[in-house]
Amino acid sequence: MRGVLLDRDGVLLLMDEEALYRKALDLGAYGMGKERALAFLARAVRWINEEVRALSVRTVVEEEALFRALAEEAVRELRAPLAKVQGLRYYHFMRPAPGALDLLKALKAQGLKVGVLSNTLPSLRESLAHHGLAEYVDGFYASCTLGVAKPDPRAFLLALQDLGIPPREVFYLDDDPENVRVARALGLRAEIHVPGQPLLDAGQ
């Protein structure tokens, strides 16, 4: 095995519901209340997910425009100061999965190339850097940047081509069984990860 390809959401990063709740309390304090703030944040998450599914945000510049629009909407709907929402990103409401940093360090210590393939916005590298994980990753493959999303085999092939490693020499880990099925069909050694299980065990 010469390389490892990892999913991000559910493997390296998990949703941080506590951080989302704290932000709703903060934004709700400007007059519209916690419940309305929570509803707005939930709608923003759905909006982002729809943009990811449509592959309509292809560059970091386009992503910045998306978050500016969300910030302006928050100011209008929640009456919050722009400073409270400007610069907020979806990955501020995520947290490293238990063992994620240790897994990445262990993989790099073994001399393996590490890539992250995720159905997400172009800021994949930034999302991992925010949580202290990016320095252990060699390749960042966001569906919106690639122009194709998992489980389409082309997403895997583009990542493998960039890593320069044939499928049979790559281990793949994802919490989505369909993505794992496609990876196996391409020749990768692929396993399903259950969020919350020890990551070091999965990567051995």
Side-chain angles (χ1 to χ4, degrees), residues 95-149:
R95 58 183 173 83
L101 181 58
D102 290 338
L103 172 64
L104 291 173
K105 285 181 176 180
L107 295 173
K108 294 307 295 178
Q110 295 174 44
L112 299 173
K113 274 193 172 182
V114 177
V116 176
L117 175 61
S118 179
N119 289 347
T120 191
L121 294 169
S123 59
L124 175 57
R125 181 193 295 266
E126 289 79 1
S127 71
L128 293 170
H130 180 78
H131 294 288
L133 304 178
E135 65 181 288
Y136 304 100
V137 177
D138 302 293
F140 303 84
Y141 310 107
S143 59
C144 284
T145 303
L146 294 175
V148 63

Side-chain angles (χ1 to χ4, degrees), residues 20 26 31 69 99 111 189:
L20 201 65
D26 184 27
R189 178 191 159 203

Side-chain angles (χ1 to χ4, degrees), residues 29-64:
Y30 291 94
M32 304 310 293
K34 175 193 68 179
E35 295 305 322
R36 186 159 178 178
L38 276 171
F40 173 82
L41 291 174
R43 193 165 71 253
V45 169
R46 289 195 299 272
W47 185 4
I48 292 166
N49 288 338
E50 288 168 6
E51 295 292 331
V52 169
R53 280 193 294 271
L55 300 174
S56 55
V57 179
R58 299 298 299 276
T59 68
V60 172
V61 172
E62 291 173 352
E63 184 175 338
E64 289 296 323

